[in-house]
Each structure stands twice: as C-alpha cells, then as structure tokens.
Amino acid sequence: MIDNIRFSKRNLTDYEVENIVKKSYLQTMYEPRTGKIFYATGSERQLHGGMYIKIDVENNLVLKGSLHKYFSFLQTGKNTNFGSFTMKQAKETFFKLIENKGINSENLKVNQYEVGLNLIFDFDVILILENVYAIGSNTYQREMYIDPNYRKKRYITTEKSTNIRVYYKLYDKVFEMINKRNTPPKEKHILRIETTQRKLQKKFSNEFFTDSNLNIIQDKFFSKWDDLRLITSIDAPKGTHKSRIDLVKEIYKNAPIPTLEKYHKLLKDKEITVKIYRNTREFINNWKTERKKYKIVKSPIGKKWADTYQPIKERFNQNRL
C-alpha cells in the first residue's frame, strides 16, 4: 500500500545529526559555492534499500524513497516493489526504517506519499490500459492520458501538474522493470495502480502511521479505484455501422453537448464534412429517443478487470489494521 513517501524535519540537534550520519553511513559532502558541509547517501540512483537521506547545511533532514522497496531489501536484499505490501507491513517497515537510520520520529513531517497496488493478470495488461479513459464518479471524473515519457503506451495518468495535489496512474509493472533493466518477476503480466498525494499540510509521521489513519487512506484508495472507467461495449441494432457505435460510446463517455461541441470544432477546422456534421448533430439532438436503441453492456476487458481487482480489494479489507 504505502510506497514512495517523502519526510522532512527541520533544525536537527547536533546529536541527531551525528546519530543519523553514523547509523545511515552518510557521506560528508561540500557545497560547490560555499564549501559548507552537508551529509547524504550519495547518488539517488544507486541506493541500497531504496531510501535517500540528506542533511543540509542548516541541519534540515530529507528522507524519501519507497517503503515497499525498503521492505523487500530487508527481506531479500533487492529493491523491488512488484509483490504484495499491506498497510500493516508499511507501518512496521516505517518504524524499522527510522530505527535503522537513527531518526527520531518526533516532529518528522510527511510531505507526500503514494499508495500502490499490484494486480496480476493472465493476459497483456495493455488491453486494460487501452480501454481506460477516466477515474471518478458520474459527477466528477478525471481523464486519463498516455504519459509520453514511457514507450509503447504502457503508462497512463491523470493530469499531474505541480498545482495538483492528488493524481492517479496505471502502468505495466513488468514493462517498467525491463525498461529500467531490472530483473523481471516470474509473473508476466502485472498492472500497478497508484494514487499520489502531494503537498500535505502539517502531517506528522507519528499521526500518519496510526492504524486509524492508515485505514482511512486504504478506504479512500479503494473508493476511488472502484470508479475506474473503462470503455464499455454497446449493444446496437443489427447492421449499425461502426462509426455510429463509436459516436454512441463517445456520447456515453463525454455527454451529448460536449460531443456536439467537439464535432462543431472539427467542422470549423475542416476535418469533417458538412454532411457528417449535420448527421451527427441530428443524431445528438434526438439522443433521448436514440439512446433507447443502444444499451451499455460490460466489455470483456471490464469484466476481467473487476474479476481481478475485487478479490484483491476484499482480501486487503479483510486484513485491515
């Protein structure tokens, strides 16, 4: 569950600095401009245990990384997060982490965190990624986009600009590991879903890692992912052209008025003919009548998603803190 997380703490005492440096094996470094001393684990890309620690020249601490990977490192010596990881394990790992690193949790702030879950399928998860279009309720949905930083359309996310506090993403976990030249697991098809919460206000670690708070976070995580939106199948009258079925899917997905506005823009940009626009406009204007002919049915991919997601959700909820 809790995976990537960032902590900070200001104004460490000299004793705290000395203890963290000693127990965390931090390197002594020098600022290029001032020559002042700070301490850090070294390169963030070559971490043992997946955790980065830095104490700056003002004795301010930053601790960040993957609790799941640190858990795996303690168990196997490898930084991996493709398996199962419960809230109970996350809590135990956090307290083991600060003990091992010599960090006092008093006034240790949680700045941001990520909640993740791995789902194992028996088919290529690109089929799910290609069919997801949004996440959220009927009244408020966040659209999913292909992340251009990843190849082959195997990573999709809601908007995650710096002013957005919460965003959601799904990606092909095995593809990601191979792409980063890590040894892939024996499971060939793993879909990872994640919720990232940023810019927390005055959230301290001792409060964050209480049973009640972790249960709330887990409940919110599943409540949101219950509303993952996949393209549906349409039961249409026999002989209906594919273009008309695609239009019906678009109307169900985006609502009639936004769909009509889109086609009006396509007409203005001369990307469709006047005839296509008129036929589309007439169909949308008669949607209250036309919709009776086109019924939404759950797609095979949607069913496979639910058949995998629901049992995992139930198992995690049965083992709440």
Side-chain angles (χ1 to χ4, degrees):
M1 293 261 94
I2 303 295
D3 193 13
N4 281 315
I5 189 165
R6 186 187 191 278
F7 305 94
S8 64
K9 185 174 182 178
R10 298 180 64 82
N11 301 319
L12 299 179
T13 65
D14 290 341
Y15 172 78
E16 285 181 298
V17 172
E18 182 181 351
N19 196 41
I20 295 170
V21 170
K22 180 179 178 181
K23 297 193 74 171
S24 301
Y25 303 100
L26 300 187
Q27 298 178 25
T28 301
M29 300 184 176
Y30 301 89
E31 283 195 338
R33 293 183 180 179
T34 65
K36 291 183 178 181
I37 292 175
F38 68 95
Y39 306 95
T41 50
S43 171
E44 291 187 54
R45 297 189 178 188
Q46 297 176 336
L47 299 181
H48 294 293
M51 303 305 299
Y52 176 76
I53 304 173
K54 179 180 178 180
I55 300 173
D56 69 16
V57 296
E58 303 294 334
N59 283 3
N60 298 319
L61 169 74
V62 169
L63 168 65
K64 61 183 179 179
S66 166
L67 280 182
H68 193 164
K69 288 181 180 179
Y70 189 69
F71 168 81
S72 298
F73 179 77
L74 294 178
Q75 298 291 316
T76 67
K78 297 179 180 179
N79 299 343
T80 61
N81 66 339
F82 58 77
S84 178
F85 190 56
T86 65
M87 285 299 193
K88 180 181 179 182
Q89 290 170 323
K91 180 179 179 179
E92 292 171 350
T93 301
F94 165 70
F95 286 108
K96 191 67 175 175
L97 169 67
I98 60 173
E99 177 187 349
N100 290 346
K101 303 300 181 183
I103 298 170
N104 185 342
S105 63
E106 190 71 26
N107 295 323
L108 182 65
K109 286 185 178 180
V110 179
N111 308 120
Q112 69 176 56
Y113 67 91
E114 171 189 285
V115 187
L117 184 68
N118 296 310
L119 302 168
I120 300 172
F121 291 86
D122 59 2
F123 59 89
D124 192 339
V125 298
I126 191 68
L127 296 175
I128 294 176
L129 296 171
E130 288 175 342
N131 279 273
V132 171
Y133 65 86
I135 187 170
S137 64
N138 289 328
T139 55
Y140 180 68
Q141 294 182 12
R142 300 272 299 277
E143 189 173 351
M144 289 281 186
Y145 304 93
I146 296 170
D147 191 322
N149 294 317
Y150 291 79
R151 298 185 299 114
K152 298 186 178 180
K153 303 179 181 179
R154 290 185 178 268
Y155 188 117
I156 60 175
T157 177
T158 57
E159 186 181 349
K160 52 182 181 180
S161 55
T162 54
N163 62 316
I164 292 176
R165 290 179 180 269
V166 183
Y167 64 88
Y168 309 90
K169 57 186 177 182
L170 307 85
Y171 59 92
D172 183 336
K173 183 62 185 174
V174 177
F175 179 83
E176 180 224 29
M177 294 181 69
I178 294 173
N179 203 43
K180 292 181 177 180
R181 299 182 180 180
N182 295 326
T183 303
K186 62 179 181 180
E187 295 85 2
K188 301 299 182 184
H189 309 295
I190 301 176
L191 180 71
R192 183 164 176 82
I193 60 177
E194 294 176 351
T195 299
T196 298
Q197 175 82 47
R198 300 188 288 194
K199 300 181 180 180
L200 300 186
Q201 299 296 321
K202 295 183 179 180
K203 180 67 74 173
F204 292 96
S205 61
N206 287 339
E207 174 191 352
F208 183 87
F209 283 98
T210 60
D211 291 358
S212 58
N213 187 60
L214 292 176
N215 282 337
I216 289 171
I217 292 172
Q218 178 170 313
D219 289 343
K220 287 182 177 179
F221 175 83
F222 284 121
S223 177
K224 180 59 70 172
W225 286 98
D226 284 348
D227 285 330
L228 184 66
R229 301 286 167 158
L230 285 85
I231 297 171
T232 55
S233 294
I234 301 296
D235 183 12
K238 187 176 181 179
T240 303
H241 196 275
K242 182 180 179 300
S243 61
R244 180 51 51 89
I245 294 175
D246 289 341
L247 175 60
V248 170
K249 287 182 179 180
E250 202 169 350
I251 295 171
Y252 272 121
K253 176 181 172 181
N254 300 321
I257 293 177
T259 302
L260 183 58
E261 290 174 347
K262 171 195 166 182
Y263 279 86
H264 185 256
K265 185 177 185 305
L266 290 174
L267 177 66
K268 288 179 63 178
D269 294 341
K270 297 181 180 181
E271 294 185 30
I272 60 173
T273 65
V274 173
K275 181 180 180 180
I276 290 176
Y277 174 73
R278 285 176 178 170
N279 289 339
T280 302
R281 182 181 63 187
E282 182 180 354
F283 183 81
I284 293 176
N285 287 340
N286 293 326
W287 177 240
K288 287 186 178 180
T289 301
E290 294 287 352
R291 70 181 300 169
K292 298 175 183 178
K293 305 175 187 176
Y294 302 91
K295 303 298 182 183
I296 295 178
V297 295
K298 183 174 285 189
S299 68
I301 294 299
K303 184 178 185 305
K304 288 181 178 181
W305 156 260
D307 288 347
T308 299
Y309 168 78
Q310 287 297 334
I312 296 295
K313 171 188 169 183
E314 291 170 11
R315 179 162 63 83
F316 270 76
N317 284 339
Q318 288 169 1
N319 292 282
R320 287 159 57 88
L321 289 165

